[in-house]
Amino acid sequence: MKGSTLRLVAVALFAAVVAAAATREIDHRDADARIFGAHAHLRGAALLAQVRQRPPATLVFGDSLVEGTAIDTLCGEPALAAGAWGARLADIAAIAPAIVEAARPKRVVVAIGINDAVRARPTDPAAFAAAYRALVTPWQAAGLDVAVALPAPVVRGRPLGDGNFDPARAERLTEAIRALAADLRLRLVPFDTLPRDANGGLDPALAPDGVHFAPEGYRLWQAIL
């Protein structure tokens, strides 16, 4: 009896440790989502104030790659890089409609998706496709020139590359964007054509940390845009 009791206690303790670790992981993921969501909210407020003062002809919505770009003109007209660090599609969908309504631009570019392929909290491709359609169809119906961008690849073998982002999930999201563009006849921005290495990932020279561009990476990214 004593041995059985000890085994039961050991099993219970092991289960408790596993449950606690899982809870900490869930809490960590939730904390990341809250932090990035809060940043997107603050960025949205700042961008809204900005477009009310100087409405751009083109709005480019996206994540840290967009927030970090210095681009301010497209098609020979003023443009605004409306990015938010860590943003997922849901974060952009929460802030973009008000910004578009205030700016009344000629064209909108949506360059979002790689953060929806984060291994720790991936977005379901079907839900992603439905939310993406719900975001862009009102703009298209209003007569705006809408372009959607395919996510840029990440570097293989880097913690912030495929260590953090799931290339297989990113490819499924890419195909969802490609299908949506074909269905709605939207312009497609092929950031997936950026130079790759022998492993199929982004050329490490373009993004030393695995995902965020160095100056040469941005030069090529902006040329595609």
Side-chain angles (χ1 to χ4, degrees), residues 126-144:
F128 179 87
Y132 211 126
R133 180 181 292 269
L135 177 64
V136 301
T137 48
W139 299 337
Q140 186 183 42
L144 300 186

Side-chain angles (χ1 to χ4, degrees), residues 195-214:
R196 300 180 183 240
D197 63 10
N199 297 317
L202 183 68
D203 182 346
L206 303 181
D209 71 354
V211 65
H212 297 110
F213 293 137

Side-chain angles (χ1 to χ4, degrees), residues 15-79:
V17 169
V18 171
T23 300
R24 284 196 296 272
E25 180 61 25
I26 292 171
D27 288 346
H28 176 71
R29 295 199 300 265
D30 289 346
D32 284 348
R34 288 194 296 271
I35 289 169
F36 292 135
H39 174 66
H41 176 76
L42 291 173
R43 277 287 291 163
L47 291 164
L48 192 57
Q50 196 169 345
V51 300
R52 283 171 174 164
Q53 296 175 68
R54 186 177 298 174
T58 303
L59 280 166
V60 184
F61 290 106
D63 48 36
S64 56
L65 296 181
V66 174
E67 185 174 359
T69 185
I71 198 164
D72 55 8
T73 59
L74 278 173
C75 305
E77 297 181 293

Side-chain angles (χ1 to χ4, degrees), residues 20-210:
T23 300
R24 284 196 296 272
E25 180 61 25
I26 292 171
D27 288 346
H28 176 71
R29 295 199 300 265
D30 289 346
D32 284 348
R34 288 194 296 271
I35 289 169
F36 292 135
H39 174 66
H41 176 76
L42 291 173
R43 277 287 291 163
L47 291 164
L48 192 57
Q50 196 169 345
V51 300
R52 283 171 174 164
Q53 296 175 68
R54 186 177 298 174
T58 303
L59 280 166
V60 184
F61 290 106
D63 48 36
S64 56
L65 296 181
V66 174
E67 185 174 359
T69 185
I71 198 164
D72 55 8
T73 59
L74 278 173
C75 305
E77 297 181 293
L80 177 64
W85 191 279
R88 294 148 66 90
L89 175 60
D91 298 316
I92 293 303
I95 66 172
I99 296 170
V100 171
E101 183 178 356
R104 299 189 180 279
K106 293 181 181 179
R107 61 191 70 85
V108 175
V109 181
V110 181
I112 200 75
I114 194 60
N115 289 314
D116 289 275
V118 169
R119 292 185 183 276
R121 46 190 182 92
T123 301
D124 175 72
F128 179 87
Y132 211 126
R133 180 181 292 269
L135 177 64
V136 301
T137 48
W139 299 337
Q140 186 183 42
L144 300 186
D145 183 1
V146 180
V148 294
L150 301 179
V154 297
V155 179
R156 299 292 177 96
R158 298 283 171 88
L160 200 55
D162 64 349
N164 186 55
F165 304 96
D166 180 358
R169 174 76 59 162
E171 183 59 30
R172 292 179 67 188
L173 300 179
T174 294
E175 289 309 310
I177 297 171
R178 195 188 301 276
L180 180 66
D183 185 40
L184 299 180
R185 298 183 180 181
L186 303 175
R187 295 178 186 271
L188 197 64
V189 185
F191 289 140
D192 62 328
T193 60
L194 284 163
R196 300 180 183 240
D197 63 10
N199 297 317
L202 183 68
D203 182 346
L206 303 181
D209 71 354

